[in-house]
């Protein structure tokens, strides 16, 4: 927090992006508590990436908003619980919806990263996923849908059959065929 204040003063910047795969909610809470001790944060804007979690509370998010948090970006991937379990994301769809609603209600913009063409995903599931996104349009400020990529050195690549992947193009991680 002190370094951010020094950078803001030295370079006369008021906007920061925390580039981290996902700041854990406990670290976020500590950071916000420290920011709250410095009134200068009322003039600084920042956003960050986070994993969805039930650990977020309205009190914490209102304090974060007061201290400059303007947006959060979540790796939602899909709102389909079967697919979340299948790809071993480690989250559930209801927690994603909870976070999107809570952050939005606290005045923090929400950005959802979504994926299409997940292993074993059916066309019907893809359509249902987009319908759920439409139903949440009042709490999702921005979203981006990108294709799933099958990368080497992952469990899915090493054990494709376990994920319903029937063939893989070794030269292009976007090209694979799954059971659906």
């Amino acid at each position: 927090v002190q370094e951010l204040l020094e950078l803001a003063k030295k370079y006369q910047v008021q906007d920061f992006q925390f580039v981290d795969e996902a700041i854990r909610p406990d670290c976020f809470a500590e950071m916000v508590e420290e920011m709250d001790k410095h009134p200068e944060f009322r003039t600084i804007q920042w956003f960050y990436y986070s994993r969805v979690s039930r650990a977020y509370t309205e009190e914490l998010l209102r304090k974060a908003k007061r201290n400059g948090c303007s947006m959060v970006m979540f790796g939602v991937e899909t709102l389909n619980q079967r697919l979340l379990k299948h790809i071993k994301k480690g989250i559930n769809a209801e927690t994603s919806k909870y976070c999107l609603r809570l952050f939005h209600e606290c005045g923090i913009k929400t950005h959802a990263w979504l994926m299409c063409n997940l292993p074993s995903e059916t066309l019907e599931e893809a359509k249902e996923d987009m319908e759920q996104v439409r139903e949440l349009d009042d709490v999702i400020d921005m979203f981006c849908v990108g294709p799933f990529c099958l990368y080497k050195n992952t469990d899915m690549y090493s054990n494709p059959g376990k994920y319903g992947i029937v063939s893989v193009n070794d030269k292009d991680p976007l090209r694979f065929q799954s059971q659906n």
Side-chain angles (χ1 to χ4, degrees):
V1 168
Q2 191 59 44
E3 288 176 33
L4 287 172
L5 292 172
E6 290 170 12
L7 289 168
K9 185 176 181 179
K10 181 177 180 178
Y11 296 105
Q12 300 180 358
V13 293
Q14 299 298 308
D15 297 285
F16 289 91
Q17 173 185 0
F18 293 104
V19 182
D20 188 306
E21 193 167 303
I23 296 174
R24 294 188 337 244
D26 59 327
C27 294
F28 177 81
E30 287 179 29
M31 186 174 73
V32 169
E33 288 300 323
E34 187 62 29
M35 287 174 172
D36 203 44
K37 297 175 186 174
H38 302 276
E40 304 92 333
F41 269 96
R42 306 309 187 295
T43 62
I44 293 173
Q45 296 290 302
W46 52 275
F47 69 97
Y48 76 111
Y49 299 83
S50 181
R51 184 172 180 85
V52 299
S53 170
R54 290 274 180 180
Y56 287 112
T57 65
E58 182 177 347
E59 178 185 2
L60 174 60
L61 297 182
R62 294 217 182 270
K63 191 178 285 186
K65 173 69 175 170
R66 183 174 65 240
N67 286 287
C69 183
S70 59
M71 183 173 66
V72 62
M73 302 173 92
F74 291 118
V76 172
E77 320 312 10
T78 179
L79 293 168
N80 179 294
Q81 189 58 46
R82 184 194 74 78
L83 290 170
L84 286 169
K85 186 176 179 181
H86 185 66
I87 65 171
K88 299 180 180 175
K89 176 69 177 167
I91 62 172
N92 67 55
E94 289 308 312
T95 301
S96 293
K97 293 174 187 178
Y98 165 82
C99 283
L100 291 165
R101 285 185 182 105
L102 184 61
F103 275 76
H104 185 82
E105 288 168 6
C106 291
I108 299 171
K109 290 189 183 300
T110 60
H111 185 288
W113 294 101
L114 300 160
M115 288 185 177
C116 62
N117 196 37
L118 289 161
S120 83
E121 181 177 36
T122 66
L123 183 57
E124 189 58 37
E125 285 173 323
K127 288 177 182 177
E128 288 170 7
D129 212 20
M130 286 301 99
E131 185 55 38
Q132 287 192 66
V133 170
R134 280 188 206 94
E135 290 170 7
L136 292 168
D137 74 344
D138 60 329
V139 297
I140 298 176
D141 295 292
M142 294 159 274
F143 72 93
C144 179
V145 180
F148 171 82
C149 294
L150 182 63
Y151 290 111
K152 292 183 179 181
N153 302 317
T154 63
D155 188 48
M156 283 187 200
Y157 188 87
S158 300
N159 302 291
K162 189 164 90 173
Y163 296 93
I165 298 170
V166 294
S167 69
V168 177
N169 180 331
D170 291 332
K171 295 180 180 156
D172 185 352
L174 290 173
R175 294 195 156 304
F176 66 92
Q177 203 170 22
S178 72
Q179 64 194 24
N180 294 327

